[in-house]
Amino acid sequence: TNRVADIDAALRSRFDQSIAFHLPSQETRQHITRAFTCHLVDTERCVLALAMQGFSGRNIKEVCEQTERKWAAKIVRGKAAPKSLPPLSEYLAAAQSRAQSGLQ
């Protein structure tokens, strides 16, 4: 878990060791976003990675996948051009929404 404090102390005492996985750095967040946003340019990925400071790798992946699902729905409803890809603004909106909900 990312929140060790949420685990009961009696349960934690049964583990022999604990391994800390720190949140990704700016550079690592850019590398993660590269895997999910191949159509964005590096400067856009930099902006996106900055917007996702404090996010885990899993959260970054989920933001990107959520953005793509919402974009696909827009295409189906005729609100986005067929075969188009989501712009940076869509990813930023999803990241902001996730941060405001406390899910990062």
Side-chain angles (χ1 to χ4, degrees):
T1 181
N2 293 341
R3 300 183 314 231
V4 176
D6 291 349
I7 299 176
D8 181 66
L11 177 62
R12 276 189 290 157
S13 71
R14 296 173 190 249
F15 293 99
D16 294 333
Q17 58 182 298
S18 176
I19 301 171
F21 289 93
H22 300 287
L23 294 174
S25 66
Q26 169 68 17
E27 182 181 354
T28 303
R29 290 191 307 274
Q30 282 181 253
H31 285 291
I32 295 168
T33 60
R34 186 175 294 128
F36 299 101
T37 61
C38 296
H39 62 287
L40 297 180
V41 297
D42 284 338
T43 55
E44 291 175 317
R45 283 191 211 104
C46 181
V47 170
L48 182 57
L50 281 170
M52 291 196 274
Q53 185 173 353
F55 284 41
S56 69
R58 182 186 73 217
N59 294 143
I60 294 169
K61 175 183 178 242
E62 289 172 354
V63 164
C64 293
E65 289 176 345
Q66 174 190 8
T67 301
E68 291 162 5
R69 284 191 300 272
K70 285 186 174 184
W71 192 255
K74 286 183 177 185
I75 291 172
V76 169
R77 289 191 307 262
K79 295 184 178 183
K83 298 185 181 182
S84 64
L85 297 170
L88 173 62
S89 60
E90 294 288 326
Y91 290 96
L92 292 173
Q96 182 180 17
S97 175
R98 189 170 192 91
Q100 288 174 343
S101 68
L103 293 175
Q104 85 282 6

